[in-house]
Amino acid sequence: MTKRSPFRYFKTSPEIISLAVMMYVRFPLSLRNVEDLLHERGIDVCHETVRYWWLRFGPMFAAEIKKLKSSRWQWHLDEVFVKINGKQHYLWRAVDHEGEVLESYVTKRRDKKAALKFIRKAMRKHGQPEIFVTDKLRSYGAALKETGGVERQETGRWINNRAENSHLPFRRQERAMLGFRGMRGLQKFVSVHASVYNHFNQQRHLYSRDTFKTNRAAALNEWRGLCAA
């Protein structure tokens, strides 16, 4: 049976849709910034159309490029404050030893219940790691005690910088978007943003210029291939 294309009801080409979604999620741009950049390329779309495209196709693209890595050596867990309509929420994040974001989760509190739900969600998808690196928040210790991982927990100064640095791309995007209006929208965005960031993050400081250019071109070709499938 032939698989139907999700773009069959749209007059705009899939290449333009994927370009708009990539620009909005990958770079710290607002919807109107994306509209202006597309206009310079001769593409006339409204910023509300860009919003609809990313809400409709962003999760689909993220599901296609997301690799369920069995990263079971070392996880870095951290949480960061996020304002939603003036109210404080918490974004939990699990990062592996290579800096790839494994899981993101939004909660209203950062107590034991929230930490336990976040850790169990990450372990359902990626298994149990050998080491949990966390800060000194007591919620982690209480949650890991229930999951049987408290003996593998490591805390210390600066050892969790990898997780803390993973928040920086999100913070840049948050400023461009002028914040978020709801938990559901934030949860959807951080999930898509993490997958796209993992896909295009080539860690250029580890490779020569030629190798980096090759990897970057391969990542871009894979992204364009999502629409051809």
Side-chain angles (χ1 to χ4, degrees):
M1 183 177 180
T2 305
K3 184 178 179 181
R4 293 186 177 182
S5 171
F7 305 97
R8 62 186 182 277
Y9 299 117
F10 295 86
K11 296 181 179 180
T12 309
S13 67
E15 291 76 13
I16 295 177
I17 295 177
S18 67
L19 175 62
V21 173
M22 181 189 69
M23 292 172 66
Y24 180 63
V25 179
R26 183 184 176 189
F27 302 106
L29 301 172
S30 66
L31 293 168
R32 288 174 174 81
N33 292 149
V34 175
E35 177 185 353
D36 292 340
L37 291 174
L38 291 176
H39 177 72
E40 291 182 3
R41 298 188 176 202
I43 304 172
D44 185 18
V45 296
C46 175
H47 68 278
E48 289 295 339
T49 303
V50 178
R51 184 199 304 275
Y52 175 78
W53 285 346
W54 107 256
L55 289 173
R56 172 66 176 83
F57 297 106
M60 184 189 71
F61 291 155
E64 290 291 334
I65 66 178
K66 188 174 183 179
K67 299 178 181 179
L68 298 178
K69 297 180 58 179
S70 57
S71 181
R72 300 186 180 183
W73 175 47
Q74 181 170 294
W75 288 5
H76 297 259
L77 310 180
D78 193 40
E79 77 288 341
V80 68
F81 302 99
V82 181
K83 289 283 188 178
I84 301 178
N85 286 335
K87 296 183 179 179
Q88 186 166 280
H89 292 68
Y90 302 92
L91 171 60
W92 305 74
R93 198 185 292 270
V95 182
D96 69 3
H97 61 281
E98 295 179 343
E100 291 204 2
V101 181
L102 300 175
E103 192 64 45
S104 300
Y105 187 60
V106 182
T107 63
K108 293 183 178 180
R109 295 182 175 87
R110 58 170 182 171
D111 53 7
K112 172 189 171 182
K113 182 178 180 181
L116 184 61
K117 192 170 184 179
F118 162 64
I119 293 174
R120 283 177 173 171
K121 182 181 179 182
M123 289 195 300
R124 278 198 304 269
K125 294 183 178 180
H126 307 282
Q128 293 196 17
E130 298 180 8
I131 301 173
F132 291 94
V133 179
T134 70
D135 54 23
K136 295 184 179 180
L137 182 67
R138 294 183 178 180
S139 301
Y140 288 118
L144 290 174
K145 189 174 182 180
E146 287 203 14
T147 60
V150 68
E151 296 181 355
R152 291 171 287 160
Q153 182 185 14
E154 293 185 2
T155 60
R157 194 176 184 182
W158 298 313
I159 66 174
N160 206 27
N161 285 352
R162 188 173 295 278
E164 294 176 358
N165 291 337
S166 72
H167 299 305
L168 297 179
F170 166 75
R171 284 302 195 193
R172 288 192 292 267
Q173 185 68 38
E174 181 187 26
R175 288 192 294 270
M177 297 173 65
L178 302 179
F180 299 91
R181 298 181 180 179
M183 288 183 60
R184 184 177 180 181
L186 174 57
Q187 182 65 63
K188 176 183 287 189
F189 179 81
V190 294
S191 299
V192 175
H193 181 268
S195 296
V196 175
Y197 175 78
N198 292 341
H199 183 72
F200 287 103
N201 181 25
Q202 303 298 326
Q203 298 186 357
R204 63 178 68 193
H205 63 287
L206 299 178
Y207 306 102
S208 65
R209 177 65 179 174
D210 292 337
T211 303
F212 165 71
K213 291 169 63 177
T214 301
N215 294 339
R216 181 176 60 183
L220 186 58
N221 288 333
E222 290 178 5
W223 174 266
R224 291 169 175 167
L226 297 177
C227 299

